[in-house]
Amino acid sequence: MTLHDTSVCVYEGGPAVTVRTGKTGNQYGLCASCADITERTDAVSEIMEGFRTRLREAGRLDERIEDFINGVIICAPLAPGADPLARISAVFHRLAKRCGVEAEVTAA
């Protein structure tokens, strides 16, 4: 299903270079810059959601850890580099200390 003109980036309004399909089946266009950050965000989210699940199953998921994971999902796609794990590492320990979860992250 298409709700937007897929030849135009849904975020920036410029020419789209790719068309994606959202979780609800809607198609939308993305410019090169938005396509790149969307792919980076998807890769980081997939990794961090697995981390969140493991912490939940271990009974160690609390509000501070949730905030930490959400912070990584927001910040890591913006870090330089092509490898999602390297980008996550770039922000992981900085955010852990700031969120007050440094010991929990190290132990997990």
Side-chain angles (χ1 to χ4, degrees):
M1 177 179 4
T2 303
L3 298 176
H4 301 280
D5 178 0
T6 57
S7 68
V8 176
C9 177
V10 70
Y11 299 114
E12 300 290 332
V17 298
T18 190
V19 175
R20 290 196 47 162
T21 302
K23 292 178 182 175
T24 60
N26 297 323
Q27 292 185 320
Y28 56 95
L30 294 173
C31 65
S33 176
C34 291
D36 179 56
I37 197 67
T38 300
E39 288 173 16
R40 288 170 165 256
T41 301
D42 290 349
V44 168
S45 293
E46 185 177 331
I47 292 166
M48 293 308 296
E49 288 305 328
F51 184 68
R52 186 190 318 261
T53 299
R54 287 190 301 276
L55 285 170
R56 183 180 297 115
E57 290 169 353
R60 299 187 66 200
L61 189 65
D62 62 20
E63 187 176 337
R64 293 172 308 131
I65 302 256
E66 286 276 9
D67 289 345
F68 168 73
I69 291 170
N70 292 336
V72 171
I73 291 171
I74 291 167
C75 295
L78 304 175
D83 177 32
L85 287 174
R87 290 194 312 270
I88 288 170
S89 293
V91 296
F92 208 79
H93 293 287
R94 284 181 159 184
L95 285 175
K97 187 171 186 176
R98 193 167 248 207
C99 291
V101 296
E102 193 168 31
E104 288 90 342
V105 170
T106 302

